[in-house]
Amino acid sequence: MKHFIIMTIFTALFGSNTTQSDNVKILSSSDFKTQITNKNVQLIDVRTPDEFNSGHIKDAKNIDCFSGQFNEEFNKLDKTQAVYIYCRSGSRSRQSSNKLLAMGFTEIYDLKGGILNYN
């Protein structure tokens, strides 16, 4: 019973990597690049400002997922248009995608493996 409770707590805290919402699509680096190239998209980097300033995808907007301004900044975006989101390795963007779903965003594309995987 103790083991079950511990596993339940870990699952609640960290979620399952196998579950993917129909509204959040995980894209490979090449698919992500193809979809954002030469298009006017809502491209969001959810890393810290220091990480963003050390290098980011062209035309990305920085909204730190740990910032107290996260909801306020995302509420300025169009919830009916696709959002392309990434972080360093994919963890923060996955967490942010779940927040965006709860906020009413309907189409979210997450870069698999984050910017570390971006070619």
Side-chain angles (χ1 to χ4, degrees):
M1 183 67 173
K2 183 178 179 182
H3 179 70
F4 176 75
I5 293 172
I6 291 171
M7 290 305 295
T8 303
I9 290 170
F10 276 109
T11 301
L13 289 174
F14 301 108
S16 170
N17 289 339
T18 59
T19 304
Q20 179 179 346
S21 165
D22 289 337
N23 293 16
V24 179
K25 305 288 189 237
I26 309 299
L27 298 179
S28 68
S29 176
S30 60
D31 288 343
F32 194 88
K33 185 179 282 186
T34 298
Q35 290 193 28
I36 65 169
T37 301
N38 299 322
K39 295 180 185 172
N40 185 19
V41 299
Q42 298 182 116
L43 177 61
I44 310 298
D45 182 326
V46 295
R47 298 177 300 156
T48 66
D50 285 342
E51 289 174 298
F52 180 81
N53 290 333
S54 71
H56 57 273
I57 299 173
K58 185 177 183 257
D59 298 325
K61 177 177 180 170
N62 183 220
I63 302 176
D64 183 351
C65 71
F66 298 124
S67 165
Q69 303 298 312
F70 181 90
N71 287 358
E72 181 180 327
E73 290 300 315
F74 270 102
N75 278 325
K76 294 177 183 177
L77 301 180
D78 185 344
K79 293 180 182 181
T80 64
Q81 288 187 358
V83 173
Y84 291 81
I85 190 169
Y86 71 93
C87 64
R88 181 181 161 275
S89 64
S91 179
R92 286 176 280 179
S93 59
R94 182 175 47 251
Q95 293 171 8
S96 296
S97 294
N98 291 331
K99 289 181 186 179
L100 296 181
L101 286 174
M103 293 172 67
F105 285 84
T106 58
E107 189 178 357
I108 303 163
Y109 296 96
D110 188 357
L111 174 58
K112 181 178 183 178
I115 198 165
L116 289 177
N117 192 43
Y118 193 73
N119 299 330

